[in-house]
Amino acid sequence: MSFKMFIALLLCAAGSTALAQPCSHQLLVSGYFSDNVAIYDACNGAYVRQLESAGRIRGAQAVRYNPADDMIYVVSEGNDQIQRYRHSTNFEFVDVFAQLAGNVDPTGIAFGPQNQVYVAGYQSNTVVELDPASGQQVRVVLASNSGLRGADNGMMVSASGNLFVPGYGSNSVARVNLVTGQAEGQFIAAGSGGLRRTRGIVDEGATILVGGEGSGAIYRFNANNGTLVGTLVSGLNQPTGMALDRDGSLLVLSGNKVRRYDRNSGALLATVAEGAAGGIVGGTFVALIPNPALDETPTVQLGGHTSGNWYNPDTSGIGFQIEATTAIDAASGLPVMLVYWFAYAPDGNTQSWIYGQGTYNPTSNTVTLPAAITSGARFPPNFNHDDINAVAWGTLTFTFSDCNNGTASWNSTVPGYGSGSMAITRLTQIAGTTCPGAAP
């Protein structure tokens, strides 16, 4: 299909009104002193329930969802445990996945691309890998003599395959290349930019956001060399947990509240949830997870049938071209998806084609892709590949509620594009493809 025909279809297509849906996600908030994990509706912030009420959790730290086994992993520092709860059975307690030594004081947990399980130890100043089946220690990933002190709960694995570890006691961040094993205990130097009592870390691709509980600020650092890019938000009341929402905005747990911030300007957008409503005291962590009240096997999953052109009827004239390919990424074993967003530049002077490429999970209904914009080259016969200037743009996220409807959200680090989301509906379908479980 030519771009001209694509635009014509966008301009002529009619819109429709979507029915209200239950919120697709929930927020989990950990309370260290209250020994609990509270659950909130991620759309309206209403308190829903406690994760568990049997008193198993002591000193709640990181809590993360692992889609590989459909489990919620809770770091219970007070009794040195990693506990597991079944996501799809309304958070039923499963087991104590790991009982760690008393000199570890576990805080953070993260999962690698091959379902590796990494645990940070505050007292041991280490990160260890646990066997995903037995919970037994496999190896030490970050040694106690790395220079990082007080490995904390914001530890995360980036999309690029690096493990970032906050050092609460050393006011720094360590980085471990999970492919080569190279560890840099002071990847972000102690006190860089005023950083104190490092807690939360969020992956942005080319950059990471790092929270300083002691400095009351959120900083942006270069993910490749650890240099300070700037301060995104300051004047916060002991920020601890951080997470990205579906629209690309930043969720921050501070002052016993979860608040939303614009990741470009740092502006406060809203208060999302009140910790007091869920009995949270000493909030440490916030996580965004799929709502288990909805069917955990998506009514539609990603695949070749997802391919086609998609748009929002209220913004006809721009739209997405999505291609779920048969190409397999060697590192992850997952198939590759390509996306073009045919849009216009923020200044209105030219077209802007945003290109996304990355892997997708065929058992999921959502995908997040790194995106770029290009410039510099000329039209044939004067085209020269070396003239192309590719600039990292941000991320594109697509979530599909059925065969023909979904949501597109974006977060850009390029000035003017910002972050946001829109409902999308199918405009065209590839001949010969049929959405499983639906009429062609």
Side-chain angles (χ1 to χ4, degrees):
M1 175 186 293
S2 69
F3 180 68
K4 182 177 180 180
M5 183 181 297
F6 177 59
I7 292 298
L9 281 169
L10 288 171
L11 292 171
C12 294
S16 61
T17 301
L19 297 176
Q21 298 287 333
C23 190
S24 63
H25 286 71
Q26 293 181 326
L27 287 176
L28 302 185
V29 179
S30 299
Y32 183 83
F33 295 115
S34 47
D35 298 323
N36 69 327
V37 176
I39 303 174
Y40 300 82
D41 185 293
C43 295
N44 59 28
Y47 168 67
V48 177
R49 53 162 284 186
Q50 295 294 316
L51 176 70
E52 65 94 35
S53 56
R56 298 184 181 92
I57 299 173
R58 292 284 183 268
Q61 291 277 7
V63 51
R64 291 192 188 273
Y65 172 56
N66 185 2
D69 59 9
D70 189 46
M71 302 275 196
I72 302 294
Y73 287 65
V74 177
V75 180
S76 181
E77 184 181 5
N79 49 16
D80 298 289
Q81 293 180 352
I82 309 297
Q83 303 171 6
R84 296 195 296 187
Y85 298 80
R86 179 71 65 183
H87 177 240
S88 60
T89 56
N90 204 28
F91 306 115
E92 173 189 13
F93 174 72
V94 176
D95 59 13
V96 174
F97 170 69
Q99 179 66 62
L100 302 166
N103 64 347
V104 173
D105 282 357
T107 52
I109 190 165
F111 308 109
Q114 304 301 323
N115 198 29
Q116 301 98 325
V117 181
Y118 302 104
V119 173
Y122 184 88
Q123 184 175 335
S124 62
N125 302 313
T126 62
V127 176
V128 298
E129 179 182 342
L130 304 183
D131 184 278
S134 69
Q136 296 300 307
Q137 181 174 318
V138 174
R139 64 186 176 117
V140 176
V141 176
L142 185 70
S144 59
N145 62 356
S146 71
L148 180 128
R149 299 193 310 277
D152 220 306
N153 60 37
M155 180 181 70
M156 66 87 178
V157 175
S158 70
S160 62
N162 288 308
L163 180 74
F164 291 93
V165 188
Y168 187 88
S170 54
N171 307 312
S172 62
V173 175
R175 183 179 72 169
V176 180
N177 185 313
L178 295 176
V179 175
T180 67
Q182 180 186 7
E184 302 168 81
Q186 290 283 314
F187 173 70
I188 294 176
S192 180
L195 177 64
R196 289 192 297 116
R197 298 180 185 173
T198 319
R199 297 302 292 263
I201 304 179
V202 165
D203 183 23
E204 292 187 303
T207 56
I208 57 173
L209 294 177
V210 179
E213 180 182 350
S215 47
I218 309 296
Y219 306 91
R220 179 172 280 123
F221 292 93
N222 186 299
N224 296 312
N225 58 30
T227 58
L228 178 68
V229 177
T231 300
L232 178 66
V233 185
S234 60
L236 300 177
N237 181 8
Q238 297 184 318
T240 53
M242 301 195 304
L244 293 185
D245 206 344
R246 296 145 294 167
D247 62 359
S249 61
L250 179 67
L251 301 176
V252 179
L253 174 60
S254 69
N256 212 32
K257 300 177 186 290
V258 179
R259 297 179 175 89
R260 184 190 313 281
Y261 293 88
D262 183 279
R263 279 168 57 209
N264 289 300
S265 66
L268 174 63
L269 301 177
T271 296
V272 178
E274 297 280 351
I280 295 296
V281 180
T284 56
F285 199 84
V286 60
L288 185 73
I289 68 164
N291 185 353
L294 303 178
D295 184 1
E296 286 307 301
T297 300
T299 55
V300 60
Q301 299 175 350
L302 301 173
H305 54 273
T306 311
S307 303
N309 292 298
W310 299 73
Y311 84 124
N312 182 298
D314 294 332
T315 58
S316 58
I318 65 173
F320 303 90
Q321 189 171 78
I322 299 175
E323 182 180 353
T325 77
T326 57
I328 300 297
D329 175 65
S332 65
L334 294 173
V336 174
M337 179 174 287
L338 312 177
V339 172
Y340 274 103
W341 187 3
F342 299 108
Y344 294 88
D347 59 14
N349 291 328
T350 185
Q351 293 173 340
S352 180
W353 291 10
I354 299 157
Y355 173 69
Q357 177 178 329
T359 60
Y360 71 93
N361 184 347
T363 67
S364 175
N365 68 334
T366 187
V367 61
T368 297
L369 305 172
I373 51 176
T374 59
S375 62
R378 293 184 291 174
F379 189 79
N382 297 315
F383 173 78
N384 184 334
H385 179 271
D386 293 337
D387 293 336
I388 298 176
N389 177 35
V391 175
W393 180 85
T395 57
L396 293 170
T397 298
F398 299 90
T399 302
F400 298 94
S401 55
D402 57 42
C403 296
N404 299 309
N405 297 281
T407 301
S409 60
W410 66 94
N411 186 78
S412 176
T413 55
V414 176
Y417 288 90
S419 59
S421 65
M422 66 171 74
I424 56 173
T425 189
R426 183 187 292 278
L427 182 62
T428 66
Q429 185 169 338
I430 306 299
T433 62
T434 302
C435 187

